[in-house]
Amino acid sequence: MSAVRTKLSQQLSATAANWPKDPFRPNIQLQTFLQALAAHPNLTQDAVNAANALKENAMRKKYKLSKTMLKPASMPHHYERLMDGYQKSVQGVQRPWWKIFFGIW
């Protein structure tokens, strides 16, 4: 039973090592949690499979979003702006106060 546990631990550790870092929370990383979980004595194959599914975006691939879902009629550019804001905030770029005040993107 120990050999199976070490194999699962190695698989989860490999997944954790390849996990991207969160730039917004440098002190709280999912990578650290997965490393701690790899050392847990009751580690199961289901936990390893779940971590791998998260890493590979399995649900996003399985359940594709339609174009109408990604571009709602009320705000067609909402998700594009959201991603743009996320990428700019990672770089430390902010919108000027006047664009925020007047609602200009």
Side-chain angles (χ1 to χ4, degrees):
M1 193 70 171
S2 167
V4 173
R5 190 175 314 151
T6 56
K7 181 182 175 191
L8 291 175
S9 178
Q10 289 173 349
Q11 288 176 351
L12 192 57
S13 293
T15 300
N18 293 328
W19 202 273
K21 296 203 181 288
D22 184 358
F24 294 109
R25 292 176 291 219
N27 58 336
I28 302 173
Q29 296 292 323
L30 189 58
Q31 192 176 43
T32 307
F33 170 72
L34 292 175
Q35 287 292 350
L37 185 62
H40 195 277
N42 295 331
L43 182 64
T44 63
Q45 183 67 44
D46 290 338
V48 174
N49 291 343
N52 286 331
L54 282 173
K55 175 78 172 81
E56 297 169 2
N57 286 328
M59 291 300 117
R60 185 176 183 190
K61 292 174 186 173
K62 184 175 179 179
Y63 301 105
K64 301 261 186 199
L65 295 175
S66 67
K67 293 197 187 251
T68 57
M69 181 75 81
L70 293 173
K71 292 187 181 257
S74 61
M75 290 187 72
H77 300 291
H78 174 72
Y79 293 110
E80 294 169 10
R81 291 176 180 161
L82 187 68
M83 289 304 298
D84 185 47
Y86 178 80
Q87 291 169 353
K88 284 183 179 178
S89 63
V90 168
Q91 299 168 356
V93 177
Q94 294 181 341
R95 285 179 30 213
W97 68 268
W98 59 272
K99 282 190 175 185
I100 296 169
F101 182 78
F102 290 112
I104 299 170
W105 295 94

